[in-house]
Amino acid sequence: MMDITEQEIEAHYTQIKTKWETEKDMYERFIERAEQTWYMSPFELAAAMYFSEAMSASEFALERLEDWHEEMKDKETTR
């Protein structure tokens, strides 16, 4: 077991949340651009087809990150 400070938890939480939200925004912008074109490449088409599933997965991951953050506030050690 390792001791962990509240600052370390907050820093990790903020870093991961920011990274995931940035990636989610980049994906949304990519899809918006792809949908404005006359012809989508096979990659763009596949990305657009799975967009709603990817957004659901992203929201789920962010919710679990929030749960983790709440749980870690009470802990002083971690593995």
Side-chain angles (χ1 to χ4, degrees):
M1 296 293 242
M2 292 176 36
D3 291 335
I4 191 165
T5 66
E6 189 173 333
Q7 291 81 14
E8 291 172 323
I9 293 168
E10 288 299 320
H12 181 69
Y13 168 76
T14 303
Q15 177 187 8
I16 296 297
K17 185 174 181 180
T18 302
K19 178 182 175 190
W20 289 356
E21 287 176 341
T22 301
E23 289 173 354
K24 181 181 169 188
D25 291 340
M26 284 181 8
Y27 190 24
E28 288 173 342
R29 286 193 310 272
F30 174 79
I31 294 301
E32 286 173 5
R33 259 195 332 264
E35 288 177 337
Q36 293 174 356
T37 62
W38 178 257
Y39 172 80
M40 282 192 221
S41 72
F43 176 79
E44 291 170 332
L45 182 60
M49 288 176 56
Y50 293 108
F51 178 73
S52 65
E53 289 180 43
M55 288 299 105
S56 294
S58 178
E59 289 301 320
F60 180 79
L62 287 168
E63 289 171 9
R64 295 298 74 80
L65 183 63
E66 290 291 331
D67 293 345
W68 173 85
H69 184 241
E70 289 301 316
E71 263 188 53
M72 289 303 293
K73 285 181 179 179
D74 300 334
K75 297 194 179 201
E76 296 175 1
T77 60
T78 188
R79 288 196 258 166

